[in-house]
Amino acid sequence: SVVTTPHLRAELIAHAPDGVAPGAPLWVGLQIAHQPGWHTYWKNPGDSGLPTELAWSLPAGVSSGEIAWPVPRKIPIGNLANYGYEGTVLLPVPLAVAAEFKAPAALTGAAEMEIRLKASWLVCSKECIPEDGEFLLKLPLQGSTALHKADFDAAFAAQPAPLDQPGAIAIDGNRLQVRLAGLPASAQGKTLDFFPETGEVIHTAAVLGKDWTQAWQGDAWTASVPLDAQRSASPQVMPVVVALAEADRQPGQPIAWRAEAPVSGNWPSV
């Protein structure tokens, strides 16, 4: 369940506190420990890079969900800006066990379920190197698998919390005017990081400098963000994440929020 390269260590781990059964919480995840100076990417990698991809092979009656991406960080590389992960990150994925799932023990006498994963990632420092690995995890069917509970708890704590209100994005010439309402008191008045889930829309490097602005109007956070001159996407809805700066994060409190914001106005021609 472990693949090691000169740039990182990747391990397939699981969290099944109530064993493997229909309706029981069951999570697996790829945990990546980067060597110093190296990073991999979020679902929107920013100006360059590729997100980590996971392809699962699971027993009949077991299905996988999407990666529950933790909040990334902004990683400047020269005059580019990327969204990704340094240090150690866990990419959790929920598994659903159907009512018709037949435990392998009934068929083969085995007391374990085999989970296979083919993963690929782009790991970068000053240069980028594509890597991949194949993983096999044998998960006990009975009892609790919770050795990595702290790792999964930390990954869940780094998930953006959904906002009750959808937010709004208006196209204003070559800029986007973003408005997110309903943010909690713990975030109000703070400077927030901005991460659009849709790639190739905004000028990513601008959010590292002075080419964008943000402000508060009551409990609503607003931002003016420049479009990318090489924009290739014109979405009607943009899922976006805002996050507290690391210095403002408090244990046990949400650190980021997510909204799916409808886009109004006319996109400039690409």
Side-chain angles (χ1 to χ4, degrees):
S1 63
V2 176
V3 170
T4 302
T5 77
H7 317 108
L8 55 77
R9 178 186 186 274
E11 181 178 5
L12 177 59
I13 62 176
H15 182 60
D18 300 325
V20 178
L26 173 55
W27 290 82
V28 290
L30 187 66
Q31 187 175 60
I32 302 175
H34 304 85
Q35 290 291 340
W38 293 84
H39 62 271
T40 54
Y41 292 95
W42 187 51
K43 63 193 304 182
N44 171 14
D47 283 331
S48 62
L50 293 168
T52 297
E53 295 187 352
L54 308 180
W56 302 94
S57 295
L58 302 168
V62 181
S63 59
S64 62
E66 299 296 324
I67 297 173
W69 294 92
V71 174
R73 62 181 59 181
K74 294 173 183 173
I75 304 172
I77 304 292
N79 61 351
L80 302 178
N82 297 327
Y83 304 138
Y85 306 102
E86 300 170 316
T88 298
V89 66
L90 173 61
L91 304 179
V93 173
L95 298 185
V97 179
E100 61 270 19
F101 170 70
K102 295 186 181 298
L107 305 175
T108 66
E112 299 171 324
M113 179 176 73
E114 288 193 354
I115 299 171
R116 296 181 181 272
L117 169 66
K118 290 185 178 180
S120 60
W121 57 84
L122 189 67
V123 59
C124 297
S125 180
K126 293 181 180 178
E127 69 275 12
C128 290
I129 299 172
E131 296 180 340
D132 56 57
E134 295 190 14
F135 303 82
L136 169 63
L137 185 65
K138 295 184 178 181
L139 186 64
L141 297 175
Q142 303 297 324
S144 176
T145 299
L147 178 64
H148 296 283
K149 179 179 185 300
D151 298 312
F152 280 91
D153 285 347
F156 298 150
Q159 302 298 311
L163 286 175
D164 293 335
Q165 302 182 42
I169 295 177
I171 302 167
D172 181 12
N174 289 315
R175 301 184 74 84
L176 295 181
Q177 307 299 336
V178 184
R179 188 178 190 277
L180 301 179
L183 286 152
S186 60
Q188 292 174 26
K190 301 287 187 9
T191 298
L192 303 181
D193 287 328
F194 176 65
F195 302 101
E197 293 186 5
T198 309
E200 300 181 338
V201 173
I202 73 163
H203 181 201
T204 306
V207 299
L208 296 174
K210 300 179 179 179
D211 292 338
W212 80 302
T213 59
Q214 60 175 291
W216 284 91
Q217 298 173 354
D219 70 347
W221 179 85
T222 64
S224 178
V225 185
L227 293 175
D228 191 337
Q230 305 299 321
R231 188 189 95 253
S232 63
S234 303
Q236 297 305 305
V237 176
M238 284 187 65
V240 296
V241 172
V242 290
L244 291 169
E246 292 192 21
D248 293 326
R249 298 177 183 180
Q250 300 294 326
Q253 299 294 322
I255 65 170
W257 298 267
R258 180 183 185 273
E260 296 197 5
V263 180
S264 62
N266 297 317
W267 289 99
S269 52
V270 176

PDB file of all heavy atoms in Angstrom, residues 85-114:
ATOM      1  N   TYR A  85      -0.383  21.340  -2.727  1.00  0.00           N
ATOM      2  CA  TYR A  85      -0.084  20.842  -1.387  1.00  0.00           C
ATOM      3  C   TYR A  85       1.411  20.600  -1.223  1.00  0.00           C
ATOM      4  O   TYR A  85       2.065  20.040  -2.115  1.00  0.00           O
ATOM      5  CB  TYR A  85      -0.826  19.521  -1.143  1.00  0.00           C
ATOM      6  CG  TYR A  85      -2.309  19.603  -1.383  1.00  0.00           C
ATOM      7  CD1 TYR A  85      -2.877  19.096  -2.548  1.00  0.00           C
ATOM      8  CD2 TYR A  85      -3.159  20.195  -0.454  1.00  0.00           C
ATOM      9  CE1 TYR A  85      -4.234  19.160  -2.774  1.00  0.00           C
ATOM     10  CE2 TYR A  85      -4.528  20.266  -0.671  1.00  0.00           C
ATOM     11  CZ  TYR A  85      -5.059  19.751  -1.833  1.00  0.00           C
ATOM     12  OH  TYR A  85      -6.411  19.831  -2.048  1.00  0.00           O
ATOM     13  N   GLU A  86       1.914  21.011  -0.081  1.00  0.00           N
ATOM     14  CA  GLU A  86       3.260  20.707   0.342  1.00  0.00           C
ATOM     15  C   GLU A  86       3.169  19.908   1.652  1.00  0.00           C
ATOM     16  O   GLU A  86       2.088  19.724   2.194  1.00  0.00           O
ATOM     17  CB  GLU A  86       4.065  21.990   0.533  1.00  0.00           C
ATOM     18  CG  GLU A  86       4.186  22.823  -0.740  1.00  0.00           C
ATOM     19  CD  GLU A  86       4.765  24.209  -0.496  1.00  0.00           C
ATOM     20  OE1 GLU A  86       4.336  24.855   0.487  1.00  0.00           O
ATOM     21  OE2 GLU A  86       5.621  24.638  -1.282  1.00  0.00           O
ATOM     22  N   GLY A  87       4.302  19.460   2.160  1.00  0.00           N
ATOM     23  CA  GLY A  87       4.258  18.692   3.403  1.00  0.00           C
ATOM     24  C   GLY A  87       3.486  17.402   3.196  1.00  0.00           C
ATOM     25  O   GLY A  87       3.699  16.684   2.220  1.00  0.00           O
ATOM     26  N   THR A  88       2.561  17.081   4.108  1.00  0.00           N
ATOM     27  CA  THR A  88       1.767  15.857   4.019  1.00  0.00           C
ATOM     28  C   THR A  88       0.301  16.211   3.824  1.00  0.00           C
ATOM     29  O   THR A  88      -0.233  17.063   4.533  1.00  0.00           O
ATOM     30  CB  THR A  88       1.927  15.003   5.293  1.00  0.00           C
ATOM     31  OG1 THR A  88       3.303  14.619   5.429  1.00  0.00           O
ATOM     32  CG2 THR A  88       1.075  13.743   5.215  1.00  0.00           C
ATOM     33  N   VAL A  89      -0.337  15.562   2.865  1.00  0.00           N
ATOM     34  CA  VAL A  89      -1.755  15.786   2.588  1.00  0.00           C
ATOM     35  C   VAL A  89      -2.429  14.435   2.402  1.00  0.00           C
ATOM     36  O   VAL A  89      -1.823  13.485   1.895  1.00  0.00           O
ATOM     37  CB  VAL A  89      -1.954  16.675   1.339  1.00  0.00           C
ATOM     38  CG1 VAL A  89      -1.478  15.972   0.078  1.00  0.00           C
ATOM     39  CG2 VAL A  89      -3.408  17.094   1.187  1.00  0.00           C
ATOM     40  N   LEU A  90      -3.681  14.344   2.827  1.00  0.00           N
ATOM     41  CA  LEU A  90      -4.506  13.157   2.607  1.00  0.00           C
ATOM     42  C   LEU A  90      -5.672  13.543   1.706  1.00  0.00           C
ATOM     43  O   LEU A  90      -6.379  14.517   1.986  1.00  0.00           O
ATOM     44  CB  LEU A  90      -5.019  12.605   3.942  1.00  0.00           C
ATOM     45  CG  LEU A  90      -6.036  11.469   3.855  1.00  0.00           C
ATOM     46  CD1 LEU A  90      -5.452  10.253   3.152  1.00  0.00           C
ATOM     47  CD2 LEU A  90      -6.542  11.092   5.255  1.00  0.00           C
ATOM     48  N   LEU A  91      -5.860  12.782   0.634  1.00  0.00           N
ATOM     49  CA  LEU A  91      -6.982  12.986  -0.284  1.00  0.00           C
ATOM     50  C   LEU A  91      -8.030  11.914   0.002  1.00  0.00           C
ATOM     51  O   LEU A  91      -7.937  10.785  -0.485  1.00  0.00           O
ATOM     52  CB  LEU A  91      -6.502  12.895  -1.739  1.00  0.00           C
ATOM     53  CG  LEU A  91      -5.361  13.843  -2.135  1.00  0.00           C
ATOM     54  CD1 LEU A  91      -4.973  13.621  -3.600  1.00  0.00           C
ATOM     55  CD2 LEU A  91      -5.736  15.298  -1.885  1.00  0.00           C
ATOM     56  N   PRO A  92      -9.054  12.232   0.815  1.00  0.00           N
ATOM     57  CA  PRO A  92     -10.040  11.213   1.212  1.00  0.00           C
ATOM     58  C   PRO A  92     -11.082  10.982   0.116  1.00  0.00           C
ATOM     59  O   PRO A  92     -11.485  11.904  -0.601  1.00  0.00           O
ATOM     60  CB  PRO A  92     -10.693  11.809   2.460  1.00  0.00           C
ATOM     61  CG  PRO A  92      -9.987  13.107   2.730  1.00  0.00           C
ATOM     62  CD  PRO A  92      -9.313  13.508   1.478  1.00  0.00           C
ATOM     63  N   VAL A  93     -11.544   9.742   0.041  1.00  0.00           N
ATOM     64  CA  VAL A  93     -12.600   9.356  -0.903  1.00  0.00           C
ATOM     65  C   VAL A  93     -13.598   8.475  -0.143  1.00  0.00           C
ATOM     66  O   VAL A  93     -13.207   7.486   0.480  1.00  0.00           O
ATOM     67  CB  VAL A  93     -12.024   8.589  -2.103  1.00  0.00           C
ATOM     68  CG1 VAL A  93     -13.139   8.037  -2.991  1.00  0.00           C
ATOM     69  CG2 VAL A  93     -11.100   9.489  -2.915  1.00  0.00           C
ATOM     70  N   PRO A  94     -14.905   8.797  -0.194  1.00  0.00           N
ATOM     71  CA  PRO A  94     -15.894   7.931   0.467  1.00  0.00           C
ATOM     72  C   PRO A  94     -16.203   6.703  -0.387  1.00  0.00           C
ATOM     73  O   PRO A  94     -16.270   6.789  -1.618  1.00  0.00           O
ATOM     74  CB  PRO A  94     -17.116   8.844   0.589  1.00  0.00           C
ATOM     75  CG  PRO A  94     -16.992   9.779  -0.573  1.00  0.00           C
ATOM     76  CD  PRO A  94     -15.521   9.990  -0.799  1.00  0.00           C
ATOM     77  N   LEU A  95     -16.394   5.578   0.279  1.00  0.00           N
ATOM     78  CA  LEU A  95     -16.870   4.373  -0.383  1.00  0.00           C
ATOM     79  C   LEU A  95     -18.272   4.064   0.136  1.00  0.00           C
ATOM     80  O   LEU A  95     -18.545   4.212   1.324  1.00  0.00           O
ATOM     81  CB  LEU A  95     -15.949   3.180  -0.101  1.00  0.00           C
ATOM     82  CG  LEU A  95     -14.503   3.274  -0.587  1.00  0.00           C
ATOM     83  CD1 LEU A  95     -13.785   1.951  -0.331  1.00  0.00           C
ATOM     84  CD2 LEU A  95     -14.416   3.656  -2.060  1.00  0.00           C
ATOM     85  N   ALA A  96     -19.145   3.640  -0.774  1.00  0.00           N
ATOM     86  CA  ALA A  96     -20.511   3.253  -0.410  1.00  0.00           C
ATOM     87  C   ALA A  96     -20.667   1.755  -0.612  1.00  0.00           C
ATOM     88  O   ALA A  96     -20.303   1.214  -1.664  1.00  0.00           O
ATOM     89  CB  ALA A  96     -21.529   4.020  -1.262  1.00  0.00           C
ATOM     90  N   VAL A  97     -21.202   1.097   0.408  1.00  0.00           N
ATOM     91  CA  VAL A  97     -21.433  -0.350   0.356  1.00  0.00           C
ATOM     92  C   VAL A  97     -22.927  -0.574   0.147  1.00  0.00           C
ATOM     93  O   VAL A  97     -23.742  -0.156   0.980  1.00  0.00           O
ATOM     94  CB  VAL A  97     -20.943  -1.025   1.651  1.00  0.00           C
ATOM     95  CG1 VAL A  97     -21.200  -2.534   1.596  1.00  0.00           C
ATOM     96  CG2 VAL A  97     -19.460  -0.747   1.876  1.00  0.00           C
ATOM     97  N   ALA A  98     -23.267  -1.224  -0.949  1.00  0.00           N
ATOM     98  CA  ALA A  98     -24.672  -1.452  -1.279  1.00  0.00           C
ATOM     99  C   ALA A  98     -25.250  -2.571  -0.418  1.00  0.00           C
ATOM    100  O   ALA A  98     -24.531  -3.426   0.110  1.00  0.00           O
ATOM    101  CB  ALA A  98     -24.814  -1.800  -2.755  1.00  0.00           C
ATOM    102  N   ALA A  99     -26.585  -2.574  -0.309  1.00  0.00           N
ATOM    103  CA  ALA A  99     -27.259  -3.598   0.493  1.00  0.00           C
ATOM    104  C   ALA A  99     -27.014  -4.995  -0.064  1.00  0.00           C
ATOM    105  O   ALA A  99     -26.986  -5.976   0.687  1.00  0.00           O
ATOM    106  CB  ALA A  99     -28.760  -3.305   0.538  1.00  0.00           C
ATOM    107  N   GLU A 100     -26.778  -5.077  -1.389  1.00  0.00           N
ATOM    108  CA  GLU A 100     -26.577  -6.396  -1.998  1.00  0.00           C
ATOM    109  C   GLU A 100     -25.119  -6.843  -1.954  1.00  0.00           C
ATOM    110  O   GLU A 100     -24.766  -7.892  -2.505  1.00  0.00           O
ATOM    111  CB  GLU A 100     -27.065  -6.388  -3.452  1.00  0.00           C
ATOM    112  CG  GLU A 100     -26.346  -5.404  -4.366  1.00  0.00           C
ATOM    113  CD  GLU A 100     -27.026  -4.041  -4.399  1.00  0.00           C
ATOM    114  OE1 GLU A 100     -27.810  -3.745  -3.465  1.00  0.00           O
ATOM    115  OE2 GLU A 100     -26.767  -3.286  -5.346  1.00  0.00           O
ATOM    116  N   PHE A 101     -24.262  -6.057  -1.311  1.00  0.00           N
ATOM    117  CA  PHE A 101     -22.846  -6.426  -1.208  1.00  0.00           C
ATOM    118  C   PHE A 101     -22.709  -7.781  -0.512  1.00  0.00           C
ATOM    119  O   PHE A 101     -23.297  -8.017   0.548  1.00  0.00           O
ATOM    120  CB  PHE A 101     -22.077  -5.364  -0.427  1.00  0.00           C
ATOM    121  CG  PHE A 101     -20.671  -5.768  -0.063  1.00  0.00           C
ATOM    122  CD1 PHE A 101     -19.695  -5.873  -1.040  1.00  0.00           C
ATOM    123  CD2 PHE A 101     -20.329  -6.043   1.257  1.00  0.00           C
ATOM    124  CE1 PHE A 101     -18.404  -6.248  -0.709  1.00  0.00           C
ATOM    125  CE2 PHE A 101     -19.033  -6.412   1.591  1.00  0.00           C
ATOM    126  CZ  PHE A 101     -18.063  -6.518   0.606  1.00  0.00           C
ATOM    127  N   LYS A 102     -21.973  -8.689  -1.139  1.00  0.00           N
ATOM    128  CA  LYS A 102     -21.718 -10.001  -0.552  1.00  0.00           C
ATOM    129  C   LYS A 102     -20.273 -10.041  -0.076  1.00  0.00           C
ATOM    130  O   LYS A 102     -19.355  -9.853  -0.867  1.00  0.00           O
ATOM    131  CB  LYS A 102     -21.978 -11.111  -1.575  1.00  0.00           C
ATOM    132  CG  LYS A 102     -23.432 -11.214  -2.010  1.00  0.00           C
ATOM    133  CD  LYS A 102     -23.652 -12.407  -2.906  1.00  0.00           C
ATOM    134  CE  LYS A 102     -25.107 -12.492  -3.360  1.00  0.00           C
ATOM    135  NZ  LYS A 102     -26.022 -12.669  -2.228  1.00  0.00           N
ATOM    136  N   ALA A 103     -20.111 -10.223   1.190  1.00  0.00           N
ATOM    137  CA  ALA A 103     -18.770 -10.253   1.757  1.00  0.00           C
ATOM    138  C   ALA A 103     -17.960 -11.382   1.135  1.00  0.00           C
ATOM    139  O   ALA A 103     -18.472 -12.495   0.963  1.00  0.00           O
ATOM    140  CB  ALA A 103     -18.838 -10.445   3.272  1.00  0.00           C
ATOM    141  N   PRO A 104     -16.711 -11.113   0.751  1.00  0.00           N
ATOM    142  CA  PRO A 104     -15.880 -12.173   0.159  1.00  0.00           C
ATOM    143  C   PRO A 104     -15.773 -13.394   1.053  1.00  0.00           C
ATOM    144  O   PRO A 104     -15.576 -14.501   0.566  1.00  0.00           O
ATOM    145  CB  PRO A 104     -14.525 -11.485  -0.021  1.00  0.00           C
ATOM    146  CG  PRO A 104     -14.840 -10.025  -0.109  1.00  0.00           C
ATOM    147  CD  PRO A 104     -16.029  -9.824   0.795  1.00  0.00           C
ATOM    148  N   ALA A 105     -15.906 -13.225   2.377  1.00  0.00           N
ATOM    149  CA  ALA A 105     -15.792 -14.374   3.275  1.00  0.00           C
ATOM    150  C   ALA A 105     -16.831 -15.436   2.939  1.00  0.00           C
ATOM    151  O   ALA A 105     -16.569 -16.633   3.049  1.00  0.00           O
ATOM    152  CB  ALA A 105     -15.957 -13.913   4.722  1.00  0.00           C
ATOM    153  N   ALA A 106     -18.013 -14.983   2.516  1.00  0.00           N
ATOM    154  CA  ALA A 106     -19.056 -15.946   2.195  1.00  0.00           C
ATOM    155  C   ALA A 106     -18.744 -16.717   0.919  1.00  0.00           C
ATOM    156  O   ALA A 106     -19.267 -17.802   0.688  1.00  0.00           O
ATOM    157  CB  ALA A 106     -20.397 -15.218   2.049  1.00  0.00           C
ATOM    158  N   LEU A 107     -17.884 -16.132   0.081  1.00  0.00           N
ATOM    159  CA  LEU A 107     -17.581 -16.743  -1.203  1.00  0.00           C
ATOM    160  C   LEU A 107     -16.256 -17.492  -1.195  1.00  0.00           C
ATOM    161  O   LEU A 107     -16.124 -18.551  -1.815  1.00  0.00           O
ATOM    162  CB  LEU A 107     -17.562 -15.659  -2.295  1.00  0.00           C
ATOM    163  CG  LEU A 107     -18.830 -14.798  -2.403  1.00  0.00           C
ATOM    164  CD1 LEU A 107     -18.624 -13.705  -3.439  1.00  0.00           C
ATOM    165  CD2 LEU A 107     -20.022 -15.664  -2.784  1.00  0.00           C
ATOM    166  N   THR A 108     -15.274 -16.947  -0.517  1.00  0.00           N
ATOM    167  CA  THR A 108     -13.924 -17.494  -0.590  1.00  0.00           C
ATOM    168  C   THR A 108     -13.364 -17.875   0.761  1.00  0.00           C
ATOM    169  O   THR A 108     -12.266 -18.426   0.837  1.00  0.00           O
ATOM    170  CB  THR A 108     -12.978 -16.477  -1.242  1.00  0.00           C
ATOM    171  OG1 THR A 108     -12.856 -15.341  -0.375  1.00  0.00           O
ATOM    172  CG2 THR A 108     -13.498 -16.005  -2.589  1.00  0.00           C
ATOM    173  N   GLY A 109     -14.063 -17.543   1.821  1.00  0.00           N
ATOM    174  CA  GLY A 109     -13.508 -17.780   3.144  1.00  0.00           C
ATOM    175  C   GLY A 109     -12.618 -16.660   3.633  1.00  0.00           C
ATOM    176  O   GLY A 109     -12.138 -16.687   4.763  1.00  0.00           O
ATOM    177  N   ALA A 110     -12.385 -15.654   2.793  1.00  0.00           N
ATOM    178  CA  ALA A 110     -11.530 -14.531   3.195  1.00  0.00           C
ATOM    179  C   ALA A 110     -12.288 -13.608   4.138  1.00  0.00           C
ATOM    180  O   ALA A 110     -13.509 -13.492   4.054  1.00  0.00           O
ATOM    181  CB  ALA A 110     -11.066 -13.748   1.978  1.00  0.00           C
ATOM    182  N   ALA A 111     -11.554 -12.951   5.027  1.00  0.00           N
ATOM    183  CA  ALA A 111     -12.160 -12.009   5.958  1.00  0.00           C
ATOM    184  C   ALA A 111     -11.769 -10.582   5.617  1.00  0.00           C
ATOM    185  O   ALA A 111     -11.861  -9.691   6.448  1.00  0.00           O
ATOM    186  CB  ALA A 111     -11.746 -12.347   7.387  1.00  0.00           C
ATOM    187  N   GLU A 112     -11.329 -10.370   4.369  1.00  0.00           N
ATOM    188  CA  GLU A 112     -10.845  -9.057   3.948  1.00  0.00           C
ATOM    189  C   GLU A 112     -11.454  -8.668   2.605  1.00  0.00           C
ATOM    190  O   GLU A 112     -11.865  -9.535   1.825  1.00  0.00           O
ATOM    191  CB  GLU A 112      -9.318  -9.077   3.820  1.00  0.00           C
ATOM    192  CG  GLU A 112      -8.577  -9.388   5.106  1.00  0.00           C
ATOM    193  CD  GLU A 112      -7.105  -9.607   4.882  1.00  0.00           C
ATOM    194  OE1 GLU A 112      -6.746 -10.191   3.828  1.00  0.00           O
ATOM    195  OE2 GLU A 112      -6.309  -9.219   5.748  1.00  0.00           O
ATOM    196  N   MET A 113     -11.515  -7.380   2.379  1.00  0.00           N
ATOM    197  CA  MET A 113     -11.944  -6.843   1.092  1.00  0.00           C
ATOM    198  C   MET A 113     -10.744  -6.183   0.429  1.00  0.00           C
ATOM    199  O   MET A 113     -10.066  -5.367   1.043  1.00  0.00           O
ATOM    200  CB  MET A 113     -13.060  -5.810   1.290  1.00  0.00           C
ATOM    201  CG  MET A 113     -13.544  -5.180   0.002  1.00  0.00           C
ATOM    202  SD  MET A 113     -14.943  -4.064   0.268  1.00  0.00           S
ATOM    203  CE  MET A 113     -14.133  -2.656   1.047  1.00  0.00           C
ATOM    204  N   GLU A 114     -10.488  -6.540  -0.819  1.00  0.00           N
ATOM    205  CA  GLU A 114      -9.356  -5.967  -1.537  1.00  0.00           C
ATOM    206  C   GLU A 114      -9.757  -4.661  -2.220  1.00  0.00           C
ATOM    207  O   GLU A 114     -10.754  -4.611  -2.951  1.00  0.00           O
ATOM    208  CB  GLU A 114      -8.806  -6.948  -2.574  1.00  0.00           C
ATOM    209  CG  GLU A 114      -8.055  -8.119  -1.966  1.00  0.00           C
ATOM    210  CD  GLU A 114      -7.253  -8.894  -3.008  1.00  0.00           C
ATOM    211  OE1 GLU A 114      -7.392  -8.580  -4.218  1.00  0.00           O
ATOM    212  OE2 GLU A 114      -6.498  -9.801  -2.616  1.00  0.00           O
TER     213      GLU A 114
END
